[in-house]
Amino acid sequence: MRYAKRFACLLAFWLCALGFSAQTELYDLSKLRDCDLLFHVSTEENAITSVTEGTNQQKIDHVAIFLYLDNQPYVIEAIEEGVVFTPLDSVLRRDGYHLVGRVRGTLDRASTLNRAKALLGRSYDHLYLSDNTPIYCSELVQLSFVRPDGKEVFGTIPMTFTTTDGSILPYWTDYYAVHGMAVPEGQPGTNPGELSRRKCVKVKYMIKRQGARSKIGGDER
Protein backbone atom coordinates (compact mmCIF):
# COMPACT_ATOMS: atom_id res chain seq x y z
CA MET A 1 0.00 0.00 0.00
CA ARG A 2 2.86 2.34 0.90
CA TYR A 3 4.47 1.84 -2.52
CA ALA A 4 1.11 2.31 -4.25
CA LYS A 5 0.64 5.68 -2.54
CA ARG A 6 4.17 6.71 -3.43
CA PHE A 7 3.57 5.76 -7.05
CA ALA A 8 0.29 7.67 -7.10
CA CYS A 9 2.01 10.79 -5.73
CA LEU A 10 4.79 10.54 -8.29
CA LEU A 11 2.26 10.04 -11.07
CA ALA A 12 0.24 13.07 -9.96
CA PHE A 13 3.39 15.19 -9.85
CA TRP A 14 4.43 14.03 -13.32
CA LEU A 15 1.00 14.78 -14.77
CA CYS A 16 0.99 18.26 -13.25
CA ALA A 17 4.44 18.94 -14.64
CA LEU A 18 3.39 17.64 -18.04
CA GLY A 19 0.27 19.79 -17.93
CA PHE A 20 2.29 22.91 -17.18
CA SER A 21 4.68 22.14 -20.01
CA ALA A 22 1.82 21.55 -22.43
CA GLN A 23 0.13 24.77 -21.36
CA THR A 24 3.33 26.65 -22.12
CA GLU A 25 3.48 25.05 -25.53
CA LEU A 26 -0.16 25.85 -26.25
CA TYR A 27 0.23 29.59 -25.86
CA ASP A 28 3.83 30.22 -26.85
CA LEU A 29 3.50 32.12 -30.13
CA SER A 30 7.09 33.38 -30.12
CA LYS A 31 8.21 30.14 -31.77
CA LEU A 32 6.27 30.85 -34.96
CA ARG A 33 8.33 31.56 -38.09
CA ASP A 34 7.47 32.92 -41.50
CA CYS A 35 6.04 30.11 -43.67
CA ASP A 36 4.95 27.92 -40.76
CA LEU A 37 1.72 26.13 -41.59
CA LEU A 38 -1.30 26.45 -39.31
CA PHE A 39 -3.53 23.40 -39.62
CA HIS A 40 -7.02 23.91 -38.23
CA VAL A 41 -8.39 20.93 -36.31
CA SER A 42 -12.17 20.81 -36.19
CA THR A 43 -14.02 19.79 -33.04
CA GLU A 44 -16.59 17.94 -35.15
CA GLU A 45 -16.59 15.63 -38.14
CA ASN A 46 -17.51 17.35 -41.40
CA ALA A 47 -17.60 16.67 -45.14
CA ILE A 48 -13.86 17.31 -45.44
CA THR A 49 -12.65 15.28 -42.49
CA SER A 50 -14.97 12.40 -43.41
CA VAL A 51 -13.00 11.76 -46.60
CA THR A 52 -9.48 12.97 -45.67
CA GLU A 53 -7.09 12.07 -42.89
CA GLY A 54 -4.91 14.44 -40.87
CA THR A 55 -1.78 13.66 -38.91
CA ASN A 56 -2.49 11.29 -36.01
CA GLN A 57 -6.02 10.95 -37.45
CA GLN A 58 -6.92 14.47 -36.39
CA LYS A 59 -9.84 16.24 -38.09
CA ILE A 60 -7.93 18.82 -40.14
CA ASP A 61 -10.09 20.87 -42.50
CA HIS A 62 -8.05 24.02 -43.25
CA VAL A 63 -4.48 25.23 -43.60
CA ALA A 64 -2.99 28.75 -43.63
CA ILE A 65 0.51 30.20 -44.06
CA PHE A 66 1.95 32.19 -41.16
CA LEU A 67 3.92 35.40 -41.75
CA TYR A 68 4.83 38.67 -40.10
CA LEU A 69 3.52 41.90 -41.62
CA ASP A 70 5.05 45.06 -40.16
CA ASN A 71 6.20 42.92 -37.23
CA GLN A 72 2.64 41.79 -36.55
CA PRO A 73 1.55 38.12 -36.78
CA TYR A 74 -0.76 37.29 -39.69
CA VAL A 75 -1.64 34.42 -41.95
CA ILE A 76 -2.32 34.37 -45.65
CA GLU A 77 -5.13 31.98 -46.45
CA ALA A 78 -7.84 31.08 -48.94
CA ILE A 79 -11.25 31.38 -47.32
CA GLU A 80 -14.77 32.33 -48.40
CA GLU A 81 -13.66 35.90 -49.12
CA GLY A 82 -10.82 34.65 -51.32
CA VAL A 83 -7.07 34.76 -50.73
CA VAL A 84 -6.55 37.27 -47.92
CA PHE A 85 -4.36 38.35 -45.02
CA THR A 86 -5.92 37.57 -41.64
CA PRO A 87 -4.56 38.68 -38.24
CA LEU A 88 -3.35 35.68 -36.26
CA ASP A 89 -5.51 36.61 -33.29
CA SER A 90 -8.62 36.30 -35.45
CA VAL A 91 -7.49 32.90 -36.72
CA LEU A 92 -6.94 31.60 -33.20
CA ARG A 93 -10.43 32.64 -32.15
CA ARG A 94 -12.00 30.03 -34.42
CA ASP A 95 -13.51 26.92 -32.94
CA GLY A 96 -11.16 24.00 -32.48
CA TYR A 97 -7.40 24.40 -32.33
CA HIS A 98 -4.34 24.62 -34.59
CA LEU A 99 -1.28 22.50 -35.19
CA VAL A 100 1.89 24.30 -36.25
CA GLY A 101 3.74 22.54 -39.07
CA ARG A 102 7.16 23.44 -40.40
CA VAL A 103 8.68 22.33 -43.71
CA ARG A 104 11.80 20.22 -43.22
CA GLY A 105 15.01 21.06 -45.05
CA THR A 106 15.96 24.30 -46.72
CA LEU A 107 13.04 26.44 -47.78
CA ASP A 108 13.15 29.64 -49.80
CA ARG A 109 10.93 31.60 -47.43
CA ALA A 110 11.14 34.91 -49.30
CA SER A 111 10.14 33.34 -52.62
CA THR A 112 7.44 31.28 -50.93
CA LEU A 113 5.83 34.34 -49.37
CA ASN A 114 6.15 36.32 -52.59
CA ARG A 115 4.39 33.54 -54.50
CA ALA A 116 1.63 33.45 -51.90
CA LYS A 117 1.23 37.23 -51.93
CA ALA A 118 0.98 37.18 -55.73
CA LEU A 119 -2.23 35.15 -55.29
CA LEU A 120 -3.89 37.70 -53.00
CA GLY A 121 -7.31 38.71 -54.23
CA ARG A 122 -7.99 35.45 -56.07
CA SER A 123 -11.50 34.20 -55.47
CA TYR A 124 -12.19 31.08 -53.43
CA ASP A 125 -12.38 27.84 -55.40
CA HIS A 126 -15.65 26.17 -54.41
CA LEU A 127 -15.03 23.37 -56.92
CA TYR A 128 -11.54 22.48 -55.62
CA LEU A 129 -10.04 22.09 -59.06
CA SER A 130 -6.41 22.63 -60.02
CA ASP A 131 -6.95 23.87 -63.58
CA ASN A 132 -8.86 27.07 -62.85
CA THR A 133 -8.14 30.57 -61.50
CA PRO A 134 -9.81 30.43 -58.06
CA ILE A 135 -7.77 29.05 -55.13
CA TYR A 136 -8.64 26.82 -52.18
CA CYS A 137 -6.70 26.57 -48.91
CA SER A 138 -4.27 23.70 -49.49
CA GLU A 139 -3.87 24.69 -53.13
CA LEU A 140 -2.48 28.03 -51.93
CA VAL A 141 0.18 26.13 -49.99
CA GLN A 142 0.91 23.79 -52.89
CA LEU A 143 1.41 26.67 -55.32
CA SER A 144 3.46 28.82 -52.94
CA PHE A 145 6.10 26.66 -51.30
CA VAL A 146 9.41 26.36 -53.13
CA ARG A 147 12.96 25.17 -52.42
CA PRO A 148 16.01 27.38 -53.15
CA ASP A 149 16.34 25.64 -56.55
CA GLY A 150 12.80 26.77 -57.42
CA LYS A 151 11.23 23.31 -57.14
CA GLU A 152 7.82 23.10 -55.53
CA VAL A 153 7.77 21.44 -52.12
CA PHE A 154 4.30 19.93 -52.47
CA GLY A 155 3.12 17.99 -55.48
CA THR A 156 -0.51 17.21 -56.15
CA ILE A 157 -2.18 13.91 -55.30
CA PRO A 158 -5.29 12.20 -56.73
CA MET A 159 -8.23 13.69 -54.85
CA THR A 160 -10.69 11.38 -53.16
CA PHE A 161 -14.17 12.02 -51.87
CA THR A 162 -14.77 8.49 -50.60
CA THR A 163 -15.35 7.20 -47.08
CA THR A 164 -13.60 4.21 -45.53
CA ASP A 165 -15.98 1.81 -47.27
CA GLY A 166 -14.88 3.12 -50.67
CA SER A 167 -18.13 4.90 -51.53
CA ILE A 168 -18.37 8.58 -52.39
CA LEU A 169 -19.81 10.56 -49.52
CA PRO A 170 -23.38 11.57 -50.52
CA TYR A 171 -22.67 15.14 -49.48
CA TRP A 172 -20.14 15.48 -52.29
CA THR A 173 -22.39 13.85 -54.87
CA ASP A 174 -25.10 16.36 -54.03
CA TYR A 175 -22.61 19.23 -53.79
CA TYR A 176 -21.23 18.76 -57.28
CA ALA A 177 -24.64 17.95 -58.75
CA VAL A 178 -25.67 21.50 -57.80
CA HIS A 179 -22.77 22.70 -59.97
CA GLY A 180 -23.83 20.42 -62.82
CA MET A 181 -20.81 18.14 -62.67
CA ALA A 182 -19.67 14.77 -61.39
CA VAL A 183 -17.49 14.42 -58.33
CA PRO A 184 -13.87 14.98 -59.52
CA GLU A 185 -12.67 11.74 -57.93
CA GLY A 186 -9.05 11.01 -58.82
CA GLN A 187 -8.29 14.40 -60.34
CA PRO A 188 -5.07 16.11 -59.18
CA GLY A 189 -5.38 18.28 -56.11
CA THR A 190 -4.53 18.61 -52.44
CA ASN A 191 -6.19 18.62 -49.04
CA PRO A 192 -5.01 20.07 -45.72
CA GLY A 193 -5.10 16.78 -43.82
CA GLU A 194 -2.85 15.04 -46.31
CA LEU A 195 -0.41 17.97 -46.29
CA SER A 196 -0.09 17.57 -42.52
CA ARG A 197 1.01 13.95 -43.06
CA ARG A 198 3.74 14.70 -45.60
CA LYS A 199 7.22 13.56 -44.60
CA CYS A 200 8.52 17.04 -45.42
CA VAL A 201 6.27 18.58 -42.73
CA LYS A 202 7.18 18.43 -39.06
CA VAL A 203 4.27 19.19 -36.75
CA LYS A 204 5.91 21.19 -33.96
CA TYR A 205 3.22 21.93 -31.39
CA MET A 206 -0.37 22.91 -30.79
CA ILE A 207 -1.93 26.33 -30.29
CA LYS A 208 -5.28 26.41 -28.57
CA ARG A 209 -7.29 29.42 -27.57
CA GLN A 210 -10.62 29.56 -25.83
CA GLY A 211 -13.59 31.65 -26.76
CA ALA A 212 -14.36 32.19 -30.35
CA ARG A 213 -17.16 30.96 -32.52
CA SER A 214 -16.21 32.22 -35.96
CA LYS A 215 -15.96 29.62 -38.73
CA ILE A 216 -13.66 29.15 -41.67
CA GLY A 217 -15.49 30.02 -44.87
CA GLY A 218 -16.28 27.37 -47.43
CA ASP A 219 -16.22 23.59 -47.46
CA GLU A 220 -12.53 23.21 -48.06
CA ARG A 221 -11.07 20.27 -49.94
Side-chain angles (χ1 to χ4, degrees), residues 55-74:
T55 182
N56 294 325
Q57 299 181 322
Q58 297 192 71
K59 295 187 285 289
I60 294 174
D61 58 6
H62 183 66
V63 62
I65 304 169
F66 176 80
L67 75 163
Y68 283 101
L69 289 176
D70 297 325
N71 295 319
Q72 297 299 312
Y74 278 77

Side-chain angles (χ1 to χ4, degrees), residues 55-188:
T55 182
N56 294 325
Q57 299 181 322
Q58 297 192 71
K59 295 187 285 289
I60 294 174
D61 58 6
H62 183 66
V63 62
I65 304 169
F66 176 80
L67 75 163
Y68 283 101
L69 289 176
D70 297 325
N71 295 319
Q72 297 299 312
Y74 278 77
V75 302
I76 181 171
E77 60 180 344
I79 54 176
E80 186 72 22
E81 293 78 14
V83 180
V84 296
F85 288 130
T86 307
L88 179 63
D89 185 64
S90 296
V91 173
L92 298 183
R93 290 182 181 279
R94 295 167 179 165
D95 282 343
Y97 58 93
H98 291 81
L99 301 177
V100 177
R102 187 167 295 160
V103 172
R104 301 176 190 267
T106 305
L107 178 70
D108 190 334
R109 288 187 172 83
S111 293
T112 292
L113 292 181
N114 285 337
R115 286 164 66 107
K117 291 174 183 177
L119 298 172
L120 282 167
R122 290 277 192 97
S123 59
Y124 184 77
D125 188 0
H126 293 278
L127 298 180
Y128 315 109
L129 302 176
S130 61
D131 59 353
N132 58 359
T133 300
I135 300 287
Y136 59 97
C137 72
S138 53
E139 185 181 24
L140 174 66
V141 173
Q142 187 261 319
L143 293 175
S144 299
F145 276 68
V146 290
R147 299 292 186 187
D149 60 5
K151 292 183 179 179
E152 291 185 349
V153 174
F154 301 104
T156 60
I157 60 167
M159 290 195 297
T160 183
F161 299 81
T162 62
T163 59
T164 53
D165 65 3
S167 61
I168 292 178
L169 191 71
Y171 171 92
W172 292 112
T173 301
D174 296 340
Y175 181 89
Y176 281 99
V178 169
H179 295 281
M181 59 182 289
V183 176
E185 179 74 13
Q187 292 192 23

Side-chain angles (χ1 to χ4, degrees), residues 27 92-96 208-214:
Y27 294 94
L92 298 183
R93 290 182 181 279
R94 295 167 179 165
D95 282 343
K208 188 175 184 180
R209 285 286 178 87
Q210 300 295 327
R213 297 297 175 191
S214 59

Side-chain angles (χ1 to χ4, degrees), residues 37-41 60 62-63 97-101 192 195-196 201:
L37 296 172
L38 268 64
F39 295 100
H40 177 260
V41 183
I60 294 174
H62 183 66
V63 62
Y97 58 93
H98 291 81
L99 301 177
V100 177
L195 289 185
S196 74
V201 174

Side-chain angles (χ1 to χ4, degrees), residues 6-41:
R6 182 179 298 175
F7 176 78
C9 290
L10 288 172
L11 179 62
F13 175 81
W14 180 80
L15 289 174
C16 287
L18 180 63
F20 178 79
S21 175
Q23 194 77 359
T24 302
E25 284 290 291
L26 293 180
Y27 294 94
D28 187 358
L29 305 183
S30 65
K31 297 180 180 180
L32 286 169
R33 299 179 186 173
D34 280 347
C35 296
D36 277 352
L37 296 172
L38 268 64
F39 295 100
H40 177 260
V41 183

